Amino acid sequence: STAPELYYASLKSLEEVTGDVVICNDKVQWFEAEKLTAIGGSLVMRSAALTSVTTPSLATIGGDFELQGSNEDKAGGDMTIVEMKALGSVGGKITVKNLAKLNAVKFEALTSAGAVLLPTIPYEFETISLPVLSEVGGDIQFIANTDDTAIGGMTMNTGVKQIDMNSLTRVDGTVFLTAFAELRTLPALNGVTVKGIELVNLGKLLDPLDFSGTTFSGGGRLLLTNMNLIETLTMPAQADVTLELRYNKLLNEVDGAEELAGLVYSPGTDCTFPTLRIVRGDVSFGLGQQVGVSTPSLERVEGNLLNDVIDMPELEEVGTAANPAYYKEGANDQYYKDAVYGSCALLSYDGLNFPKLRKVGGRGFTLDLGLGMANFTDLNLFALEEVEGIFQIHQNGPDMQPTAPLETIELPVIQKIGSVHIEGCGKLTDFSAFLPVIGQLNADTWFVHEDCGYSPTYEDMKAGHASKQ
Protein backbone atom coordinates (compact mmCIF):
# COMPACT_ATOMS: atom_id res chain seq x y z
CA SER A 1 0.00 0.00 0.00
CA THR A 2 2.93 2.36 0.51
CA ALA A 3 5.03 1.46 -2.55
CA PRO A 4 5.80 4.85 -4.18
CA GLU A 5 5.70 3.70 -7.82
CA LEU A 6 3.48 0.60 -7.97
CA TYR A 7 1.66 1.06 -11.25
CA TYR A 8 0.69 -2.52 -12.02
CA ALA A 9 0.81 -6.03 -10.58
CA SER A 10 1.22 -8.98 -12.93
CA LEU A 11 1.24 -12.46 -11.40
CA LYS A 12 1.06 -14.62 -14.52
CA SER A 13 1.85 -17.99 -12.94
CA LEU A 14 -0.16 -17.66 -9.75
CA GLU A 15 -2.90 -20.31 -9.51
CA GLU A 16 -4.21 -20.14 -5.94
CA VAL A 17 -4.08 -17.93 -2.86
CA THR A 18 -5.27 -19.47 0.40
CA GLY A 19 -5.47 -16.09 2.15
CA ASP A 20 -6.09 -12.54 0.90
CA VAL A 21 -5.04 -10.42 -2.05
CA VAL A 22 -5.06 -6.77 -0.94
CA ILE A 23 -3.70 -3.87 -3.02
CA CYS A 24 -4.66 -0.42 -1.72
CA ASN A 25 -2.48 2.08 -3.56
CA ASP A 26 -3.78 5.10 -5.46
CA LYS A 27 -1.14 4.70 -8.23
CA VAL A 28 -2.06 1.15 -9.24
CA GLN A 29 -3.57 1.13 -12.72
CA TRP A 30 -4.10 -2.56 -13.35
CA PHE A 31 -3.84 -6.03 -11.87
CA GLU A 32 -3.62 -9.32 -13.75
CA ALA A 33 -3.43 -12.94 -12.69
CA GLU A 34 -4.37 -15.02 -15.72
CA LYS A 35 -4.12 -18.47 -14.11
CA LEU A 36 -5.57 -17.59 -10.70
CA THR A 37 -8.57 -19.84 -10.03
CA ALA A 38 -9.23 -19.52 -6.31
CA ILE A 39 -8.75 -17.08 -3.46
CA GLY A 40 -9.49 -18.51 -0.04
CA GLY A 41 -9.77 -15.11 1.62
CA SER A 42 -10.66 -11.71 0.16
CA LEU A 43 -9.73 -9.81 -2.98
CA VAL A 44 -9.51 -6.08 -2.26
CA MET A 45 -8.42 -3.46 -4.81
CA ARG A 46 -8.55 0.27 -4.02
CA SER A 47 -6.93 2.79 -6.35
CA ALA A 48 -7.69 6.22 -7.79
CA ALA A 49 -5.88 5.20 -11.00
CA LEU A 50 -7.49 1.80 -11.46
CA THR A 51 -8.35 0.86 -15.06
CA SER A 52 -8.63 -2.93 -15.05
CA VAL A 53 -8.60 -6.13 -13.02
CA THR A 54 -7.90 -9.15 -15.23
CA THR A 55 -8.54 -12.56 -13.65
CA PRO A 56 -10.19 -14.58 -16.44
CA SER A 57 -9.91 -17.94 -14.60
CA LEU A 58 -10.92 -16.84 -11.11
CA ALA A 59 -13.86 -19.05 -10.07
CA THR A 60 -14.13 -18.74 -6.28
CA ILE A 61 -13.46 -16.13 -3.61
CA GLY A 62 -13.98 -17.37 -0.07
CA GLY A 63 -14.15 -13.93 1.54
CA ASP A 64 -15.06 -10.49 0.19
CA PHE A 65 -14.53 -9.05 -3.27
CA GLU A 66 -14.07 -5.29 -3.16
CA LEU A 67 -13.22 -2.76 -5.86
CA GLN A 68 -12.99 0.94 -5.01
CA GLY A 69 -11.99 4.00 -7.00
CA SER A 70 -9.93 5.48 -4.16
CA ASN A 71 -8.55 4.82 -0.70
CA GLU A 72 -10.41 7.77 0.79
CA ASP A 73 -14.05 6.84 0.15
CA LYS A 74 -14.46 9.29 -2.71
CA ALA A 75 -14.95 8.89 -6.45
CA GLY A 76 -11.96 8.14 -8.65
CA GLY A 77 -10.36 5.69 -11.07
CA ASP A 78 -10.62 5.25 -14.81
CA MET A 79 -12.21 1.79 -14.75
CA THR A 80 -15.27 1.61 -17.00
CA ILE A 81 -16.21 -2.07 -16.70
CA VAL A 82 -16.02 -4.69 -13.95
CA GLU A 83 -16.26 -8.08 -15.61
CA MET A 84 -15.49 -11.42 -13.96
CA LYS A 85 -16.23 -14.06 -16.58
CA ALA A 86 -15.47 -17.21 -14.55
CA LEU A 87 -16.35 -16.12 -11.02
CA GLY A 88 -19.04 -18.49 -9.75
CA SER A 89 -19.16 -17.89 -5.98
CA VAL A 90 -18.14 -15.30 -3.43
CA GLY A 91 -18.47 -16.30 0.20
CA GLY A 92 -18.53 -12.74 1.50
CA LYS A 93 -19.69 -9.41 0.12
CA ILE A 94 -19.19 -8.11 -3.39
CA THR A 95 -18.67 -4.35 -3.16
CA VAL A 96 -18.06 -2.11 -6.17
CA LYS A 97 -18.03 1.58 -5.28
CA ASN A 98 -16.57 5.01 -6.01
CA LEU A 99 -15.54 4.18 -9.58
CA ALA A 100 -16.28 7.52 -11.23
CA LYS A 101 -16.34 6.32 -14.85
CA LEU A 102 -17.95 2.94 -14.31
CA ASN A 103 -20.39 1.95 -17.06
CA ALA A 104 -21.03 -1.77 -16.52
CA VAL A 105 -20.81 -4.58 -13.97
CA LYS A 106 -20.91 -8.11 -15.36
CA PHE A 107 -20.70 -11.29 -13.29
CA GLU A 108 -22.12 -13.67 -15.84
CA ALA A 109 -21.10 -16.92 -14.11
CA LEU A 110 -21.88 -15.86 -10.55
CA THR A 111 -24.44 -18.10 -8.82
CA SER A 112 -23.99 -17.16 -5.14
CA ALA A 113 -22.60 -14.40 -2.95
CA GLY A 114 -22.83 -13.15 0.61
CA ALA A 115 -24.07 -9.77 -0.66
CA VAL A 116 -23.94 -7.69 -3.84
CA LEU A 117 -23.41 -4.00 -3.12
CA LEU A 118 -23.21 -1.23 -5.72
CA PRO A 119 -23.94 1.79 -3.51
CA THR A 120 -22.45 4.58 -5.70
CA ILE A 121 -23.67 3.96 -9.24
CA PRO A 122 -22.73 6.88 -11.57
CA TYR A 123 -25.46 8.71 -13.43
CA GLU A 124 -24.50 7.44 -16.92
CA PHE A 125 -23.85 3.85 -15.82
CA GLU A 126 -25.79 1.45 -18.09
CA THR A 127 -25.37 -2.29 -17.42
CA ILE A 128 -25.91 -4.66 -14.49
CA SER A 129 -25.59 -8.27 -15.62
CA LEU A 130 -26.00 -11.09 -13.11
CA PRO A 131 -27.93 -13.58 -15.27
CA VAL A 132 -27.39 -16.77 -13.22
CA LEU A 133 -27.20 -15.33 -9.70
CA SER A 134 -29.45 -17.53 -7.58
CA GLU A 135 -28.71 -17.12 -3.86
CA VAL A 136 -27.50 -14.12 -1.86
CA GLY A 137 -26.79 -14.39 1.86
CA GLY A 138 -27.32 -10.70 2.59
CA ASP A 139 -28.43 -7.55 0.78
CA ILE A 140 -28.48 -6.60 -2.87
CA GLN A 141 -27.94 -2.85 -3.23
CA PHE A 142 -28.14 -1.04 -6.54
CA ILE A 143 -28.15 2.61 -5.53
CA ALA A 144 -27.51 5.66 -7.68
CA ASN A 145 -25.96 8.63 -5.91
CA THR A 146 -28.59 10.91 -4.38
CA ASP A 147 -26.56 13.41 -2.32
CA ASP A 148 -24.53 16.54 -3.07
CA THR A 149 -21.38 14.56 -3.81
CA ALA A 150 -23.02 12.43 -6.50
CA ILE A 151 -20.61 11.17 -9.13
CA GLY A 152 -20.96 13.36 -12.20
CA GLY A 153 -22.98 15.94 -10.27
CA MET A 154 -26.31 14.22 -10.92
CA THR A 155 -28.78 12.81 -8.44
CA MET A 156 -30.44 10.11 -10.59
CA ASN A 157 -29.00 7.44 -12.85
CA THR A 158 -30.23 7.86 -16.43
CA GLY A 159 -28.56 4.88 -18.14
CA VAL A 160 -30.09 1.76 -16.60
CA LYS A 161 -33.31 0.68 -18.31
CA GLN A 162 -33.32 -2.95 -17.17
CA ILE A 163 -31.35 -5.19 -14.81
CA ASP A 164 -30.34 -8.68 -15.92
CA MET A 165 -30.89 -10.62 -12.70
CA ASN A 166 -33.70 -13.05 -13.39
CA SER A 167 -32.48 -16.29 -11.78
CA LEU A 168 -32.81 -15.29 -8.13
CA THR A 169 -34.43 -17.80 -5.81
CA ARG A 170 -33.39 -16.55 -2.36
CA VAL A 171 -32.07 -13.32 -0.83
CA ASP A 172 -31.57 -13.48 2.93
CA GLY A 173 -31.36 -9.70 3.11
CA THR A 174 -33.12 -6.84 1.32
CA VAL A 175 -33.10 -5.86 -2.35
CA PHE A 176 -32.53 -2.09 -2.68
CA LEU A 177 -33.14 -0.26 -5.99
CA THR A 178 -32.78 3.50 -5.67
CA ALA A 179 -32.81 6.50 -8.03
CA PHE A 180 -32.95 5.01 -11.52
CA ALA A 181 -34.75 7.57 -13.66
CA GLU A 182 -35.18 5.31 -16.72
CA LEU A 183 -35.68 1.85 -15.21
CA ARG A 184 -38.86 0.43 -16.79
CA THR A 185 -39.02 -3.14 -15.42
CA LEU A 186 -37.79 -4.92 -12.32
CA PRO A 187 -35.61 -8.01 -12.32
CA ALA A 188 -37.66 -11.13 -11.56
CA LEU A 189 -38.46 -10.71 -7.85
CA ASN A 190 -41.92 -12.26 -8.03
CA GLY A 191 -41.28 -15.81 -6.85
CA VAL A 192 -38.14 -15.07 -4.81
CA THR A 193 -37.79 -15.70 -1.07
CA VAL A 194 -36.53 -12.40 0.34
CA LYS A 195 -36.41 -10.49 3.61
CA GLY A 196 -37.41 -7.16 2.08
CA ILE A 197 -37.57 -5.04 -1.07
CA GLU A 198 -37.05 -1.28 -1.13
CA LEU A 199 -37.89 0.63 -4.31
CA VAL A 200 -37.17 4.37 -4.20
CA ASN A 201 -37.39 7.00 -6.95
CA LEU A 202 -38.09 4.68 -9.86
CA GLY A 203 -40.30 7.17 -11.64
CA LYS A 204 -40.73 5.23 -14.90
CA LEU A 205 -41.22 1.73 -13.51
CA LEU A 206 -44.28 0.37 -15.31
CA ASP A 207 -47.61 -0.51 -13.70
CA PRO A 208 -48.78 -2.89 -12.27
CA LEU A 209 -46.35 -4.16 -9.64
CA ASP A 210 -46.84 -7.83 -8.78
CA PHE A 211 -45.28 -9.56 -5.76
CA SER A 212 -48.06 -12.13 -5.35
CA GLY A 213 -45.59 -15.02 -5.72
CA THR A 214 -42.90 -13.55 -3.49
CA THR A 215 -42.17 -15.12 -0.09
CA PHE A 216 -41.14 -12.63 2.58
CA SER A 217 -39.01 -14.38 5.17
CA GLY A 218 -39.70 -11.97 8.05
CA GLY A 219 -38.23 -8.90 9.70
CA GLY A 220 -37.99 -6.72 6.59
CA ARG A 221 -40.03 -4.11 4.78
CA LEU A 222 -41.48 -3.64 1.34
CA LEU A 223 -40.96 0.07 0.66
CA LEU A 224 -42.32 2.00 -2.31
CA THR A 225 -41.41 5.69 -2.49
CA ASN A 226 -42.03 8.06 -5.43
CA MET A 227 -43.14 5.31 -7.79
CA ASN A 228 -44.90 7.70 -10.12
CA LEU A 229 -46.56 5.27 -12.56
CA ILE A 230 -47.62 2.46 -10.20
CA GLU A 231 -51.40 2.26 -9.71
CA THR A 232 -51.80 -1.31 -8.41
CA LEU A 233 -49.63 -3.36 -6.06
CA THR A 234 -50.45 -7.06 -5.74
CA MET A 235 -49.28 -8.92 -2.64
CA PRO A 236 -49.32 -12.52 -1.41
CA ALA A 237 -52.14 -13.32 1.01
CA GLN A 238 -49.75 -13.81 3.94
CA ALA A 239 -46.77 -11.48 3.80
CA ASP A 240 -44.40 -11.37 6.78
CA VAL A 241 -43.22 -7.88 5.89
CA THR A 242 -43.95 -4.29 6.84
CA LEU A 243 -45.53 -2.59 3.84
CA GLU A 244 -44.44 1.05 3.67
CA LEU A 245 -45.93 3.31 0.99
CA ARG A 246 -44.76 6.93 0.71
CA TYR A 247 -45.57 9.66 -1.82
CA ASN A 248 -46.66 7.45 -4.73
CA LYS A 249 -48.65 9.64 -7.11
CA LEU A 250 -51.05 7.12 -8.66
CA LEU A 251 -51.17 4.15 -6.29
CA ASN A 252 -54.83 3.46 -5.55
CA GLU A 253 -55.08 -0.24 -4.65
CA VAL A 254 -53.08 -2.82 -2.72
CA ASP A 255 -54.65 -6.14 -3.60
CA GLY A 256 -54.28 -9.71 -2.38
CA ALA A 257 -52.79 -9.08 1.07
CA GLU A 258 -54.82 -10.56 3.90
CA GLU A 259 -52.13 -10.44 6.56
CA LEU A 260 -49.12 -8.13 6.98
CA ALA A 261 -46.41 -7.69 9.61
CA GLY A 262 -46.96 -3.90 9.55
CA LEU A 263 -48.37 -1.08 7.44
CA VAL A 264 -47.19 2.50 6.96
CA TYR A 265 -48.94 4.88 4.56
CA SER A 266 -47.88 8.48 3.99
CA PRO A 267 -49.56 11.17 1.89
CA GLY A 268 -50.15 10.10 -1.67
CA THR A 269 -53.43 9.33 -3.38
CA ASP A 270 -56.70 7.77 -2.24
CA CYS A 271 -55.84 4.12 -1.70
CA THR A 272 -57.78 0.99 -0.75
CA PHE A 273 -56.65 -2.26 0.86
CA PRO A 274 -59.72 -4.37 0.03
CA THR A 275 -58.53 -7.76 1.33
CA LEU A 276 -56.45 -6.82 4.38
CA ARG A 277 -57.77 -8.45 7.58
CA ILE A 278 -54.88 -8.69 10.07
CA VAL A 279 -51.75 -6.66 10.80
CA ARG A 280 -49.42 -8.37 13.27
CA GLY A 281 -47.55 -5.19 14.14
CA ASP A 282 -48.16 -1.45 13.81
CA VAL A 283 -50.39 0.45 11.41
CA SER A 284 -49.51 4.10 10.80
CA PHE A 285 -51.16 6.64 8.51
CA GLY A 286 -49.20 9.85 7.95
CA LEU A 287 -49.76 12.94 10.07
CA GLY A 288 -51.82 15.57 8.33
CA GLN A 289 -52.92 13.22 5.58
CA GLN A 290 -56.00 14.52 3.83
CA VAL A 291 -56.46 11.70 1.32
CA GLY A 292 -58.78 8.77 1.70
CA VAL A 293 -57.44 5.39 2.81
CA SER A 294 -59.89 2.52 2.94
CA THR A 295 -59.40 -0.70 4.91
CA PRO A 296 -62.90 -2.17 4.68
CA SER A 297 -61.95 -5.68 5.86
CA LEU A 298 -59.40 -4.91 8.59
CA GLU A 299 -60.33 -6.79 11.76
CA ARG A 300 -57.26 -6.75 13.97
CA VAL A 301 -54.17 -4.58 14.52
CA GLU A 302 -51.97 -6.37 17.02
CA GLY A 303 -49.49 -3.54 17.44
CA ASN A 304 -50.08 0.19 17.61
CA LEU A 305 -52.68 1.95 15.46
CA LEU A 306 -51.52 5.47 14.62
CA ASN A 307 -54.22 6.89 12.47
CA ASP A 308 -55.29 10.13 10.81
CA VAL A 309 -59.04 10.02 10.21
CA ILE A 310 -59.89 6.67 8.69
CA ASP A 311 -63.03 4.56 8.79
CA MET A 312 -62.43 0.98 9.89
CA PRO A 313 -65.88 -0.61 9.94
CA GLU A 314 -64.65 -4.15 10.69
CA LEU A 315 -61.91 -3.37 13.22
CA GLU A 316 -62.36 -5.37 16.43
CA GLU A 317 -59.00 -5.30 18.24
CA VAL A 318 -55.97 -3.02 18.57
CA GLY A 319 -52.79 -3.51 20.60
CA THR A 320 -53.29 -7.19 21.36
CA ALA A 321 -49.74 -8.35 20.60
CA ALA A 322 -47.76 -9.79 23.50
CA ASN A 323 -45.88 -6.52 24.07
CA PRO A 324 -47.16 -3.58 22.03
CA ALA A 325 -45.04 -0.51 22.74
CA TYR A 326 -45.97 3.03 23.67
CA TYR A 327 -46.50 5.24 20.68
CA LYS A 328 -45.40 8.36 22.53
CA GLU A 329 -44.89 9.31 26.13
CA GLY A 330 -45.02 12.87 27.39
CA ALA A 331 -45.41 14.00 23.78
CA ASN A 332 -47.54 16.99 24.75
CA ASP A 333 -45.12 18.49 27.28
CA GLN A 334 -45.70 22.00 25.97
CA TYR A 335 -49.33 21.85 26.98
CA TYR A 336 -50.28 18.74 28.93
CA LYS A 337 -47.33 17.51 30.93
CA ASP A 338 -49.13 14.40 32.14
CA ALA A 339 -50.36 13.28 28.75
CA VAL A 340 -49.37 9.87 27.41
CA TYR A 341 -50.39 8.23 24.18
CA GLY A 342 -52.01 4.86 23.84
CA SER A 343 -51.48 1.93 21.51
CA CYS A 344 -54.48 3.20 19.57
CA ALA A 345 -53.55 6.84 18.92
CA LEU A 346 -55.99 8.64 16.63
CA LEU A 347 -56.29 12.14 15.21
CA SER A 348 -59.77 13.00 14.03
CA TYR A 349 -61.63 16.10 12.91
CA ASP A 350 -64.79 14.37 11.71
CA GLY A 351 -65.40 11.61 14.22
CA LEU A 352 -64.68 7.90 14.37
CA ASN A 353 -66.33 5.02 12.54
CA PHE A 354 -65.25 2.01 14.61
CA PRO A 355 -68.62 0.28 15.13
CA LYS A 356 -67.06 -3.12 15.98
CA LEU A 357 -64.05 -2.05 18.05
CA ARG A 358 -64.20 -4.33 21.09
CA LYS A 359 -60.76 -4.25 22.70
CA VAL A 360 -57.78 -1.91 22.93
CA GLY A 361 -54.76 -3.53 24.56
CA GLY A 362 -51.23 -2.37 25.29
CA ARG A 363 -51.04 1.24 26.41
CA GLY A 364 -54.64 2.10 25.63
CA PHE A 365 -56.65 4.60 23.55
CA THR A 366 -55.85 8.23 22.68
CA LEU A 367 -58.03 10.57 20.63
CA ASP A 368 -56.41 13.84 19.53
CA LEU A 369 -58.99 16.46 18.53
CA GLY A 370 -56.42 18.65 16.82
CA LEU A 371 -55.79 22.35 17.22
CA GLY A 372 -59.41 23.19 17.91
CA MET A 373 -60.41 22.03 14.44
CA ALA A 374 -62.47 18.94 15.29
CA ASN A 375 -66.07 19.43 14.19
CA PHE A 376 -67.96 16.46 15.66
CA THR A 377 -70.05 16.51 18.81
CA ASP A 378 -70.54 12.80 19.62
CA LEU A 379 -68.03 10.03 20.27
CA ASN A 380 -69.76 6.66 19.98
CA LEU A 381 -67.85 3.46 20.64
CA PHE A 382 -70.81 1.14 20.92
CA ALA A 383 -68.89 -2.16 20.98
CA LEU A 384 -65.92 -1.16 23.16
CA GLU A 385 -65.64 -3.49 26.15
CA GLU A 386 -62.04 -3.25 27.28
CA VAL A 387 -59.19 -0.70 27.34
CA GLU A 388 -56.12 -2.12 29.04
CA GLY A 389 -54.28 1.18 29.42
CA ILE A 390 -55.29 4.82 29.27
CA PHE A 391 -58.50 6.18 27.77
CA GLN A 392 -57.48 9.70 26.76
CA ILE A 393 -59.13 12.51 24.82
CA HIS A 394 -57.44 15.86 24.34
CA GLN A 395 -57.21 18.95 22.20
CA ASN A 396 -53.69 20.22 21.54
CA GLY A 397 -53.37 22.98 24.10
CA PRO A 398 -55.50 24.11 27.02
CA ASP A 399 -57.77 27.12 26.64
CA MET A 400 -57.45 27.11 22.87
CA GLN A 401 -60.20 28.81 20.92
CA PRO A 402 -62.39 27.54 19.45
CA THR A 403 -62.71 24.79 21.98
CA ALA A 404 -63.37 21.23 20.88
CA PRO A 405 -67.12 20.81 20.21
CA LEU A 406 -67.31 17.31 21.71
CA GLU A 407 -70.44 17.09 23.86
CA THR A 408 -71.14 13.39 24.47
CA ILE A 409 -69.21 10.16 25.00
CA GLU A 410 -71.05 6.87 24.65
CA LEU A 411 -69.52 3.59 25.89
CA PRO A 412 -72.61 1.45 26.48
CA VAL A 413 -70.84 -1.92 26.98
CA ILE A 414 -67.59 -0.82 28.62
CA GLN A 415 -66.31 -3.25 31.25
CA LYS A 416 -62.68 -2.32 31.82
CA ILE A 417 -60.50 0.81 31.61
CA GLY A 418 -57.02 1.26 33.07
CA SER A 419 -57.16 5.05 33.50
CA VAL A 420 -59.02 8.12 32.19
CA HIS A 421 -57.43 11.39 31.08
CA ILE A 422 -59.58 14.06 29.34
CA GLU A 423 -58.55 17.62 28.46
CA GLY A 424 -59.50 20.52 26.22
CA CYS A 425 -63.17 19.57 25.85
CA GLY A 426 -64.88 22.82 26.83
CA LYS A 427 -68.38 21.62 25.88
CA LEU A 428 -68.17 18.20 27.52
CA THR A 429 -70.26 18.22 30.70
CA ASP A 430 -71.39 14.60 31.07
CA PHE A 431 -69.05 11.74 32.09
CA SER A 432 -71.73 9.16 32.84
CA ALA A 433 -70.20 6.80 30.29
CA PHE A 434 -67.45 6.01 32.82
CA LEU A 435 -69.69 5.20 35.78
CA PRO A 436 -69.65 1.42 35.06
CA VAL A 437 -65.85 1.32 35.52
CA ILE A 438 -65.23 4.07 38.07
CA GLY A 439 -64.88 1.42 40.78
CA GLN A 440 -61.78 0.09 38.96
CA LEU A 441 -60.09 3.49 39.16
CA ASN A 442 -58.74 5.75 41.90
CA ALA A 443 -57.74 9.37 42.34
CA ASP A 444 -54.47 8.77 40.50
CA THR A 445 -56.04 7.09 37.48
CA TRP A 446 -58.95 9.52 37.00
CA PHE A 447 -58.21 13.00 35.63
CA VAL A 448 -60.40 15.59 33.93
CA HIS A 449 -58.70 18.91 33.23
CA GLU A 450 -60.29 22.13 34.41
CA ASP A 451 -60.58 23.35 30.80
CA CYS A 452 -63.42 20.87 30.21
CA GLY A 453 -67.07 21.97 30.49
CA TYR A 454 -67.29 20.07 33.77
CA SER A 455 -64.33 18.67 35.73
CA PRO A 456 -65.53 16.00 38.13
CA THR A 457 -63.03 14.63 40.61
CA TYR A 458 -62.74 10.95 41.37
CA GLU A 459 -64.74 11.57 44.54
CA ASP A 460 -67.45 13.30 42.48
CA MET A 461 -67.68 10.30 40.19
CA LYS A 462 -67.79 7.84 43.08
CA ALA A 463 -70.66 9.85 44.53
CA GLY A 464 -72.53 9.64 41.21
CA HIS A 465 -72.01 13.29 40.26
CA ALA A 466 -70.98 12.48 36.70
CA SER A 467 -72.66 15.41 34.92
CA LYS A 468 -72.86 19.15 35.43
CA GLN A 469 -75.88 20.15 37.50
Side-chain angles (χ1 to χ4, degrees), residues 202-209 224-233 245-254 265-272 291-292:
L202 308 180
K204 292 188 179 179
L205 195 71
L206 297 176
D207 180 71
L209 196 55
L224 273 63
T225 299
N226 293 330
M227 307 291 286
N228 294 340
L229 301 182
I230 302 300
E231 297 183 30
T232 302
L233 169 64
L245 306 172
R246 298 185 178 276
Y247 310 105
N248 300 294
K249 291 183 178 179
L250 300 179
L251 184 65
N252 58 57
E253 184 168 339
V254 177
Y265 189 89
S266 289
T269 56
D270 293 355
C271 188
T272 184
V291 300

Side-chain angles (χ1 to χ4, degrees), residues 151-179:
I151 296 171
M154 300 290 287
T155 60
M156 296 277 284
N157 171 273
T158 60
V160 175
K161 294 180 173 60
Q162 64 179 16
I163 296 172
D164 187 2
M165 189 176 63
N166 294 321
S167 298
L168 281 177
T169 60
R170 184 175 187 89
V171 180
D172 290 338
T174 297
V175 177
F176 297 85
L177 299 176
T178 299

Side-chain angles (χ1 to χ4, degrees), residues 200-283:
V200 178
N201 293 346
L202 308 180
K204 292 188 179 179
L205 195 71
L206 297 176
D207 180 71
L209 196 55
D210 187 357
F211 294 120
S212 60
T214 302
T215 299
F216 292 95
S217 57
R221 67 176 181 170
L222 173 56
L223 171 66
L224 273 63
T225 299
N226 293 330
M227 307 291 286
N228 294 340
L229 301 182
I230 302 300
E231 297 183 30
T232 302
L233 169 64
T234 304
M235 298 284 292
Q238 277 73 43
D240 191 3
V241 69
T242 295
L243 177 60
E244 190 167 333
L245 306 172
R246 298 185 178 276
Y247 310 105
N248 300 294
K249 291 183 178 179
L250 300 179
L251 184 65
N252 58 57
E253 184 168 339
V254 177
D255 197 20
E258 297 179 11
E259 183 176 319
L260 293 171
L263 175 60
V264 178
Y265 189 89
S266 289
T269 56
D270 293 355
C271 188
T272 184
F273 299 78
T275 56
L276 183 62
R277 296 189 306 105
I278 299 170
V279 179
R280 299 293 183 191
D282 296 348
V283 172

Side-chain angles (χ1 to χ4, degrees), residues 338-368:
D338 297 324
V340 294
Y341 282 68
S343 298
C344 182
L346 311 174
L347 169 65
S348 180
Y349 301 129
D350 300 315
L352 301 181
N353 181 24
F354 291 168
K356 294 186 179 181
L357 182 62
R358 183 187 61 82
K359 180 178 180 179
V360 178
R363 298 290 180 104
F365 173 92
T366 295
L367 175 59
D368 185 341

Side-chain angles (χ1 to χ4, degrees), residues 21 38 43 69 96 99 105 141 208 279 283 288 316 340 346 349-350 443-444:
V21 177
L43 172 59
V96 179
L99 292 167
V105 171
Q141 292 184 359
V279 179
V283 172
E316 297 179 6
V340 294
L346 311 174
Y349 301 129
D350 300 315
D444 293 327

Side-chain angles (χ1 to χ4, degrees), residues 175-207:
V175 177
F176 297 85
L177 299 176
T178 299
F180 293 97
E182 299 296 328
L183 185 66
R184 308 300 175 91
T185 60
L186 290 180
L189 299 177
N190 193 22
V192 176
T193 297
V194 63
K195 179 180 179 181
I197 300 171
E198 301 197 7
L199 308 178
V200 178
N201 293 346
L202 308 180
K204 292 188 179 179
L205 195 71
L206 297 176
D207 180 71

